[in-house]
Structures are given as structure tokens and as C-alpha cells.
Amino acid sequence: MSDITSRTSNDPLSDRTGNPRYPRSNRYDARWTIDNQMGPHALWLLEWLAPALGLDTLSPGSRVLDLGCGRAMTSIFLAKEYDVQVTAADLWVKPGENAPRIAESGVADRVLPVFAEAHDLPFGESSFDAIVSVDAYQYFGTNDLYLPELTRLLKPGGRIGVVVPALREEIDGVEPPEHLKPFWEPGFWCFHTAAWWRRHWTRSGAVEVETADWLEDGWRDWLRWCEVVADEHTDEWHIHMAGQCAEMLRLDQGGTLGFVRVVGRRL
């Protein structure tokens, strides 16, 4: 079993990935986080979400759904840092791929990997004390009908919290900003502002929105991580994608792109 929460001192890679804003994440092995990343630094984003979601107030053994968990880094973090029981649900990464990583991290008794599509979740009413989604909810959660279906899985009064790539201001018309056109993908249209998400969740009638805010200088964290991945990853596809993302963020300078967190309490 590897100790993923033991960082090597005087390691240049650890120095590059350390971030004073995220002390809990800083304890995790730098190589492990690079090898298992699937985009922005998921542990940084989860650590930003945690206080607004009230993760420290959950009782040990509380049940948490990690929706769109990717390679289960966030699920492992939840189990280690908050002593909760995590259902690690993902469509792209199969349970057979995540199970060894979870076991090697020492939390096989607290993290259950499952294969699940966000619109067909195999869980009963009121199954979870909290729902978490980091850099995934934008792919399915913009549907007006989605949140009421998802929050039925929460116990009454339970919270859902997400962090998503986002816009500083909504974009009018059908064209992205000129400087972003070389990088813009159709999927980027699922990015929205904090105000948009607050209205979207409030109109659903499913939750009381407690938080909807923008991560100040979040683009700098995103850029820093992309540069590390571009330099240190061993896979050519990841290197290319991270390099392209870094170029986009350097051009944008936080004028358009960043992160939003949204937290709601089930009514």
C-alpha cells in the first residue's frame, strides 16, 4: 500500500505542485496527483468546496456520493480527510480501474467504486448525506430537469456541492470572445457564471442555494497546474491538452474563464 499523503521534502516536483491555498491537498504525493489528473487539480477544487459544503460537520461514516469521480482522487480525499463513506460514481473510468487505486490508498473499506451514468443513478431515495461533484457537473447539470431528480438521493436537509469551470460574465450571442476562438470547443458553452448557476438551481425548487461564487484568481491555479502537467506527465495526449489549455489561460488572464462553486441544501 502506497502512502499517497507523504510528500518528499526538497522535491522540486512537490515544490511546483504545492499551493498555500490548499494545505490539505499539499500533503498528497505530487506524482500521484499528476498521474491521476483528468483536468484541473481536482483536490484543490474540492478543498475550496469543502467549507461551503460543510464537510467538516459531517459525522464519521456519513454517506457521500462523489458524482463524476474520474480516477477517484476526490473520493480517496473525502475518505481520508473527512472519514466518510464514499460512493465513487463515474461513467468514463470503470470500477475495475479505480478499485486498485482505492485499495492502494488504504481506503477500500470506505470508498466503493461504481459504474453509473448521471441520468440513471442506481440509488434509492434519501441514500446520501451529501453529494459532491468536481469538474463534472457541467456535463449534465445544465438540464433544467436534472437537479430535482438528483437531489431525491439526498436526505432532507442534505447538501449538494459542485465546482465547475465557469465564466466571469455570460457571453452574448453565438460567438466566443475573439481571443478564445482558436481554443473554443462546443462543450465550453456549458460554462456559466455564478449568477447563472444560482438562478438555475433556485428555479428548480429542489434546493435552497447557500453559496454560488467565483474563485478569485482561480485561473492562476488552473494555469499553474496545466504547466506542471505539460512538463511532467508521461502521456503525450495529456501533455498536448495541458499545453493547449495553458496557452489559452495565458491569453485570457482570467478575463473570461475560471471556476464557480455552488452549494444547495435539499428542501
Side-chain angles (χ1 to χ4, degrees), residues 115-122:
F115 175 76
E117 204 282 325
H119 297 89
D120 188 23
L121 296 171

Side-chain angles (χ1 to χ4, degrees), residues 88-99:
D90 203 78
L91 176 66
W92 296 345
V93 183
K94 303 300 188 292
E97 298 174 54
N98 275 335

Side-chain angles (χ1 to χ4, degrees), residues 7 11-18 30-31 34 228 232:
R7 292 171 71 99
D11 176 5
L13 185 56
S14 293
D15 291 342
R16 289 194 68 188
T17 58
R31 174 51 59 187
I34 291 169
V228 169
E232 301 292 344

Side-chain angles (χ1 to χ4, degrees), residues 71-128:
R71 293 193 174 97
M73 283 204 301
T74 47
S75 303
I76 292 165
F77 186 91
L78 286 164
K80 281 185 170 290
E81 299 298 323
Y82 303 102
D83 195 21
V84 292
Q85 292 288 327
V86 185
T87 299
D90 203 78
L91 176 66
W92 296 345
V93 183
K94 303 300 188 292
E97 298 174 54
N98 275 335
R101 186 163 28 255
I102 292 166
E104 289 166 3
S105 301
V107 291
D109 59 332
R110 284 172 283 163
V111 179
L112 175 67
V114 301
F115 175 76
E117 204 282 325
H119 297 89
D120 188 23
L121 296 171
F123 312 116
E125 182 98 13
S126 303
S127 293
F128 298 100

Side-chain angles (χ1 to χ4, degrees), residues 194-222:
W196 187 95
W197 282 107
R198 179 181 291 277
R199 184 186 66 179
H200 182 59
W201 279 24
T202 300
R203 290 195 308 190
S204 76
V207 298
E208 175 189 355
V209 178
E210 297 181 330
T211 302
D213 59 357
W214 172 265
L215 177 57
E216 198 62 39
D217 282 336
W219 72 274
R220 296 184 187 276
D221 293 339
W222 195 354

Side-chain angles (χ1 to χ4, degrees), residues 89-267:
D90 203 78
L91 176 66
W92 296 345
V93 183
K94 303 300 188 292
E97 298 174 54
N98 275 335
R101 186 163 28 255
I102 292 166
E104 289 166 3
S105 301
V107 291
D109 59 332
R110 284 172 283 163
V111 179
L112 175 67
V114 301
F115 175 76
E117 204 282 325
H119 297 89
D120 188 23
L121 296 171
F123 312 116
E125 182 98 13
S126 303
S127 293
F128 298 100
D129 298 285
I131 296 173
V132 169
S133 186
V134 175
D135 188 26
Y137 192 82
Q138 69 274 14
Y139 294 122
F140 42 80
T142 58
N143 186 319
D144 289 337
L145 305 179
Y146 185 72
L147 188 63
E149 282 298 306
L150 178 61
T151 51
R152 71 178 179 81
L153 305 181
L154 276 175
K155 295 177 181 178
R159 289 184 173 90
I160 174 173
V162 308
V163 179
V164 291
L167 301 176
R168 185 181 291 275
E169 301 290 343
E170 286 294 319
I171 297 172
D172 293 331
V174 297
E175 295 290 333
E178 192 66 32
H179 68 287
L180 294 180
K181 282 185 178 181
F183 309 94
W184 199 265
E185 300 175 8
F188 288 5
W189 291 113
C190 71
F191 299 170
H192 292 287
T193 64
W196 187 95
W197 282 107
R198 179 181 291 277
R199 184 186 66 179
H200 182 59
W201 279 24
T202 300
R203 290 195 308 190
S204 76
V207 298
E208 175 189 355
V209 178
E210 297 181 330
T211 302
D213 59 357
W214 172 265
L215 177 57
E216 198 62 39
D217 282 336
W219 72 274
R220 296 184 187 276
D221 293 339
W222 195 354
L223 172 59
R224 180 180 181 182
W225 182 241
C226 286
E227 290 173 340
V228 169
V229 173
D231 289 344
E232 301 292 344
H233 210 284
T234 57
D235 179 81
E236 287 298 326
W237 185 84
H238 284 283
I239 292 169
H240 170 74
M241 294 302 293
Q244 190 173 52
C245 185
E247 185 180 353
M248 176 182 70
L249 293 167
R250 280 192 291 266
L251 281 172
D252 186 54
Q253 292 287 302
T256 307
L257 298 171
F259 297 104
V260 158
R261 66 180 170 185
V262 194
V263 174
R265 182 179 59 83
R266 182 184 172 181
L267 296 173

